[in-house]
Amino acid sequence: MRFLIRNPRTGQAEGTFDGTAPEDVGSLIQSIRRAQIEWEGAGVVARAKGLQIFADRLNDKVWREKLIEALSADTGRRTESFTEISGLTSTLQRWISYAFENAGLWQAESVMPTAIPNFTQQCARDAVPVVGVISPWNFPLLLSFVDTVPALLAGCGVIIKPSEVTPRWAFVMKELLESVPVVGTVCRIAEGGAQTGEAVVDRVDAVCFTGSVGVGRKVAVRAAERLIPAHLELGGKDAAIVFADADVESAVRSLLWGCTANAGQSCLSIERIYVQSDVYPQFIHTMREKIEGLISRSPVIEWMAPVISPAQVAVIESHLRDARAQGACIETGGCWEDAPQGVNIMAPTLITQVHHGMSIMSEESFAPFIPVMPFKTESEAVGLANDSRYGLSAAVYSSDATTLKRVSDALEASAVSLNDCGLTAFLHQCAKSPRKESGAGLSRMGADGLLRFMRKKAVLKKSAAEQADPWWYPLSSPSRN
Ligand code: NAD
């Protein structure tokens, strides 16, 4: 299948590419299977050294520049492209250090006696042979490697199926991987769309999927038919609660970033804000002032990320249309900036008079929207925040430690930031189990991020052949007759 290569910063199509055909996915995975045996057998120290060569290559000026160019053309964002590459190098360093500090993980546990005389047991570990990583467009490099790095360290081979919406960086990465054969033989890339993704799910031993709820469900069903594990990181509609005793100025600063960074096109964007009535007017006033200050300093099209695709533009327009039709008040923004044909950029859009009957408060928008609703009591705020099919992350602002604790305990979200938002983008040591429709499977953060790629094997031993037969052998023991 042929795909268009588009630049969201110019609105222009810049070529086409062909997706990897399902039969070619099969032969790629066969070659990974062959290479994985040696990769796993080499041991964790050799694998960490291999990944260090890959990390050094990423830091090489020429490769770095090529990747930044490709990522910037894919996403229309230059600063975030730098951030993605430094995010990947720090992810590599973190996991490499973890592997050295926890090398014992790769050894079988010590032999343990059992309650039955002359029998012992031991737990060994081996790697899932080939993991399929299917990634989205919004942070295409980082989200392709966030699962790949720990899987490779665990001893797995990996096939990455990046998003067809942002393909250029993957062309460069393919070349880079080929220049580091120790990693490039066990980590391969198959470009393409849904069909290529399906071909991956049909052939791997486990799948890590990051993307929308709708596609995640299809991947989960397909994986279930093959009885392979599926680790799913899906969409969200993250809520923030601001209590009257919070530092409103600081809450506004962080939430303006949390709602509009990358034009709201991050899974952990804050997409709805609940503010206690006593400080609601102050919150709206401060937010409006900050937005206007930003806009007056430089044109929005210079600092706001473009909306990635026409499909995403259609979602944004439908959420705005629905909100307006139901009486929402668009306090700032809410229309497209003057930009070249095909380029879609929107200023931070502060929206009031909203309710949960509007799609802007219930469905993932992936837009620079800041919809704000007042509340009176803590239980009302928790009820509103939990009134969602999503459970990705949330944020709570208060100066009272007991309120923060009570509310974070009550929120149905897999990560909660206190007095800030989106902290899972920077802090990765704490595991978070997916909740509601925002995911399934084991955490990609914390130690689980690596352990989920290691299978346990129980090795159970009868100590000596001359020992008496155990009691469960049928009628074999004369004493039982
Ligand atoms: P998407 O679900 O449309 O696509 C994700 C990937 O799945 C792409 O590579 C696509 O080609 C592939 N795909 C499509 N159909 C497939 C099929 N039938 N079988 C296998 N693969 C298939 O998502 P998107 O639009 O690229 O990304 C945006 C979504 O990702 C948002 O919902 C966002 O919240 C979510 N996301 C979640 C996280 C997280 O960590 N929870 C992180 C980033 C993005």
Side-chain angles (χ1 to χ4, degrees):
M1 191 168 174
R2 185 152 289 187
F3 298 93
L4 207 61
I5 305 178
R6 196 179 161 273
N7 185 329
R9 181 60 72 181
T10 62
Q12 299 301 309
E14 294 179 352
T16 58
F17 78 100
D18 290 319
T20 312
E23 54 279 15
D24 296 335
V25 171
S27 51
L28 269 180
I29 292 179
Q30 277 312 321
S31 76
I32 297 173
R33 281 197 190 284
R34 286 191 293 275
Q36 184 270 338
I37 296 167
E38 196 180 332
W39 175 250
E40 185 176 9
V44 63
V45 172
R47 290 197 293 276
K49 285 182 179 162
L51 285 173
Q52 189 61 58
I53 302 172
F54 174 60
D56 293 344
R57 196 61 49 92
L58 268 174
N59 275 323
D60 175 279
K61 200 166 166 288
V62 175
W63 282 111
R64 215 180 156 82
E65 199 44 51
K66 275 191 189 183
L67 267 174
I68 287 170
E69 284 307 316
L71 273 172
S72 307
D74 275 337
T75 59
R77 315 174 313 219
R78 196 162 172 86
T79 311
E80 288 85 349
S81 301
F82 277 96
T83 317
E84 279 206 69
I85 297 180
S86 31
L88 173 54
T89 46
S90 67
T91 298
L92 276 156
Q93 294 312 334
R94 184 165 45 83
W95 277 119
I96 291 171
S97 309
Y98 178 86
F100 283 127
E101 284 156 21
N102 297 279
L105 275 180
W106 279 268
Q107 285 147 21
E109 286 168 13
S110 32
V111 176
M112 290 177 290
T114 70
I116 309 166
N118 306 318
F119 285 81
T120 56
Q121 57 192 350
Q122 188 178 27
C123 187
R125 284 194 170 102
D126 63 3
V128 173
V130 180
V131 175
V133 171
I134 302 178
S135 54
W137 54 261
N138 64 331
F139 289 94
L141 171 80
L142 207 51
L143 292 171
S144 293
F145 279 89
V146 66
D147 298 312
T148 296
V149 174
L152 288 171
L153 260 184
C156 314
V158 176
I159 182 156
I160 300 172
K161 207 301 285 170
S163 170
E164 68 279 23
V165 179
T166 47
R168 298 174 186 79
W169 75 270
F171 303 148
V172 178
M173 181 54 77
K174 250 178 141 166
E175 275 182 60
L176 192 155
L177 282 166
E178 277 162 19
S179 78
V180 188
V182 63
V183 178
T185 48
V186 277
C187 179
R188 315 279 300 259
I189 296 180
E191 300 97 343
Q195 280 179 355
T196 311
E198 287 171 357
V200 167
V201 180
D202 287 348
R203 289 164 177 83
V204 291
D205 307 302
V207 62
C208 294
F209 174 85
T210 308
S212 61
V213 172
V215 176
R217 208 184 298 278
K218 287 187 196 164
V219 167
V221 167
R222 212 167 178 104
E225 274 168 6
R226 296 195 52 234
L227 300 176
I228 62 164
H231 305 290
L232 311 173
E233 295 276 353
L234 309 178
K237 187 78 190 168
D238 291 359
I241 302 176
V242 182
F243 284 98
D245 62 356
D247 176 341
V248 172
E249 168 76 25
S250 137
V252 166
R253 267 203 318 275
S254 73
L255 287 167
L256 178 53
W257 170 81
C259 293
T260 66
N262 190 26
Q265 300 170 113
S266 313
C267 57
L268 47 69
S269 284
I270 296 292
E271 296 221 351
R272 50 201 173 109
I273 302 176
Y274 305 99
V275 179
Q276 201 152 26
S277 310
D278 323 41
V279 291
Y280 178 81
Q282 183 193 352
F283 184 93
I284 297 294
H285 174 78
T286 315
M287 183 63 90
R288 192 189 291 112
E289 235 180 27
K290 292 240 175 300
I291 294 170
E292 286 167 358
L294 263 181
I295 293 173
S296 68
R297 279 201 285 283
S298 56
V300 176
I301 59 166
E302 284 178 12
W303 48 268
M304 182 61 90
V307 172
I308 193 77
S309 64
Q312 202 47 44
V313 168
V315 172
I316 292 173
E317 288 182 344
S318 99
H319 285 195
L320 273 175
R321 217 173 18 252
D322 171 63
R324 282 195 173 104
Q326 295 199 60
C329 174
I330 314 290
E331 307 267 354
T332 66
C335 50
W336 300 112
E337 295 291 311
D338 188 15
Q341 170 86 25
V343 181
N344 294 93
I345 294 179
M346 191 174 279
T349 298
L350 177 61
I351 312 168
T352 55
Q353 318 275 344
V354 288
H355 59 72
H356 280 206
M358 298 175 179
S359 50
I360 221 158
M361 292 300 278
S362 60
E363 292 306 316
E364 188 175 58
S365 304
F366 249 42
F369 292 161
I370 312 169
V372 193
M373 226 177 129
F375 70 88
K376 286 206 168 61
T377 64
E378 179 180 312
S379 64
E380 185 191 354
V382 169
L384 285 165
N386 285 343
D387 178 27
S388 172
R389 66 188 179 109
Y390 300 101
L392 196 59
S393 38
V396 190
Y397 297 78
S398 166
S399 55
D400 178 42
T402 56
T403 305
L404 290 175
K405 165 85 175 80
R406 233 181 9 254
V407 175
S408 71
D409 284 352
L411 287 175
E412 293 161 3
S414 59
V416 184
S417 301
L418 303 180
N419 290 326
D420 207 332
C421 59
L423 292 179
T424 48
F426 312 102
L427 308 172
H428 307 112
Q429 262 73 1
C430 221
K432 58 182 190 85
S433 315
R435 283 166 205 233
K436 294 177 154 178
E437 294 187 27
S438 288
L442 293 176
S443 173
R444 68 160 43 136
M445 285 168 49
D448 291 2
L450 183 135
L451 293 173
R452 65 198 164 135
F453 300 120
M454 294 168 96
R455 302 177 299 187
K456 288 187 172 180
K457 184 182 282 180
V459 182
L460 314 165
K461 186 176 173 193
K462 179 180 170 187
S463 58
E466 66 269 23
Q467 297 296 340
D469 283 348
W471 55 264
W472 60 80
Y473 284 9
L475 307 177
S476 64
S477 162
S479 62
R480 299 184 77 188
N481 295 326

